[in-house]
Amino acid sequence: MQKYSFYNDYSEGVHPSILELMAKTNFDQEAGYGNDSLCREAEGLLMAAIANPQAAIHFVSGGTQANQLVLASLLRPYESVIAANTAHINVHEAGAIEATGHKINLIATDDGKLSADQVLEVVAEHTDEHMVKPRAVFISNSSEVGTVYRKAELESLAAACRAHDLYLYLDGARLGSALTSREADFTLADLGRLLDVFYVGGTKNGALIGEAIVINNPALQKDFRFHLKQRGALLAKGRLLGVQYVGLFRENLFFELARHANAMAERLIRGIRKLHFSFLTESTTNQIFPIFPDGLIAELQQLYGFYTWARTGPDFSAVRLVTSWATRAEKVDEFLQDLERLTQHIK
Ligand SMILES: Cc1ncc(COP(=O)(O)O)c(C=O)c1O
């Protein structure tokens, strides 16, 4: 029997309504390399959502690619990027940023988030040309440990960045989940105002593949298509990416799907709390990190797919459970029933 997966939010394919839109437009002849009518419509929809008609929007196929492209295009050879130690660019991108010749200045965090003060400390430590020059700040919303930056935190980071000539870049692989979290007090329009660059993640929120890079800062817009081309990211069939964002943003699908993923995560949290387990972080998004005894984890892993994330004590570890637009409530309930049964059995 195949185990039900809580490994990640890309276990399933694509939301059926996007697939339908792909089929409907399949025989339309379109221009290549993102110059097609679907990309144009998707750009228009995104610009309206972020309330920045001056933004430049580019569709790429994955998150690592987006991060590498954006940061390599922002930074001069001796410049660096500041990020949390948990940042995806630090832990899970095989050195993609370092491979472009840029150092990542790391800040230790428990909650996956950076504060303006922490950023300023790093800036203050870099005094002259014998060191790298921090020039960009990388944040993820939601973060890699499920937490959410609130509007005031984003505003304070943006102000610190502006005051110190730093670009603020937000990795939005799970932006849908952050925007629809019960904690979220910011909108896409706030991101259009506060960030130099960010991306709106599609892959983890109902698209087959795709991330939409939004360059708000006009000074950073020039020649981005050359960067795309040189790194193999300018797809001849760019329409594939455009059509998916039309599907996500023509109605409210992007938000509906993220809301569903969050609701499934909350359902898990409620059930797990009832059994008196604690969590590594206070997540309000679709990645949660309950702490279980190692024996229980081994038994649960016979039945479900999920990652063990971090050791938290001699016999305890945090695991990562990820829900998605396609997670079924009955599977969440089955997981909780199995958890309760195994917990009693282990006691
Ligand atoms: C926050 C974040 N950024 C970037 C990525 C990278 O995405 P990809 O695997 O498409 O390169 C991920 C993927 O898990 C992620 O969680």
Side-chain angles (χ1 to χ4, degrees), residues 10 62-65 67 88 93 140 144 171 173-174 199 204:
Y10 42 87
T64 302
Q65 188 179 52
N67 289 337
H88 205 265
E93 296 189 1
S140 310
E144 289 75 1
D171 173 334
R174 294 195 177 84
Y199 76 84
K204 295 180 169 67

Side-chain angles (χ1 to χ4, degrees), residues 255-265 323-329:
F255 298 97
E256 279 165 28
L257 297 184
R259 241 176 242 122
H260 174 82
N262 288 352
M264 292 300 100
T323 54
S324 82
W325 61 274
T327 300
R328 302 207 311 267

Side-chain angles (χ1 to χ4, degrees), residues 184-195:
D185 58 353
F186 66 96
T187 62
L188 271 174
D190 291 316
L191 304 186
R193 177 172 63 81
L194 294 170
L195 301 165

Side-chain angles (χ1 to χ4, degrees), residues 311-336:
R311 182 153 283 286
T312 56
D315 301 311
F316 285 82
S317 302
V319 303
R320 183 181 82 154
L321 302 177
V322 188
T323 54
S324 82
W325 61 274
T327 300
R328 302 207 311 267
E330 66 267 25
K331 288 295 172 188
V332 168
D333 293 345
E334 270 175 35
F335 177 91
L336 291 171

Side-chain angles (χ1 to χ4, degrees), residues 70-279:
V70 169
L71 289 169
S73 77
L74 295 187
L75 302 174
R76 303 199 65 193
Y78 48 85
E79 291 176 340
S80 62
V81 54
I82 298 171
N85 55 345
T86 49
H88 205 265
I89 56 168
N90 180 46
V91 193
H92 285 124
E93 296 189 1
I97 305 308
E98 293 90 334
T100 64
H102 300 288
K103 184 181 173 84
I104 307 176
N105 301 117
L106 293 177
I107 294 177
T109 63
D110 289 328
D111 64 358
K113 298 198 288 183
L114 299 183
S115 71
D117 285 347
Q118 287 172 313
V119 166
L120 295 184
E121 251 174 59
V122 175
V123 172
E125 281 162 7
H126 290 78
T127 49
D128 58 31
E129 67 277 10
H130 296 279
M131 307 175 94
V132 291
K133 183 174 185 181
R135 191 71 207 287
V137 173
F138 172 99
I139 57 174
S140 310
N141 214 11
S142 58
S143 79
E144 289 75 1
V145 291
T147 50
V148 171
Y149 283 92
R150 299 178 61 111
K151 185 151 86 175
E153 295 170 306
L154 294 171
E155 281 173 342
S156 131
L157 276 169
C161 286
R162 244 170 242 148
H164 290 84
D165 203 19
L166 298 163
Y167 299 122
L168 185 56
Y169 169 53
L170 185 146
D171 173 334
R174 294 195 177 84
L175 187 55
S177 184
L179 281 162
T180 55
S181 139
R182 64 182 151 75
E183 267 186 286
D185 58 353
F186 66 96
T187 62
L188 271 174
D190 291 316
L191 304 186
R193 177 172 63 81
L194 294 170
L195 301 165
D196 290 290
V197 187
F198 69 106
Y199 76 84
V200 181
T203 302
K204 295 180 169 67
N205 195 29
L208 187 59
I209 53 166
E211 322 296 328
I213 298 173
V214 179
I215 309 178
N216 289 313
N217 183 338
L220 302 174
Q221 294 175 353
K222 189 165 176 275
D223 290 345
F224 197 76
R225 279 172 62 85
F226 286 87
H227 289 286
L228 289 171
K229 184 68 191 180
Q230 200 172 56
R231 292 187 186 275
L234 193 63
L235 301 186
K237 288 196 181 170
R239 63 186 287 169
L240 169 68
L241 302 172
V243 70
Q244 296 178 85
Y245 276 84
V246 171
L248 287 172
F249 281 91
R250 208 183 250 170
E251 311 282 338
N252 267 332
L253 189 66
F254 180 80
F255 298 97
E256 279 165 28
L257 297 184
R259 241 176 242 122
H260 174 82
N262 288 352
M264 292 300 100
E266 271 199 49
R267 196 174 179 114
L268 276 172
I269 289 175
R270 273 200 305 277
I272 293 169
R273 273 203 209 291
K274 259 194 205 152
L275 299 172
H276 307 293
F277 291 110
S278 61
F279 292 80

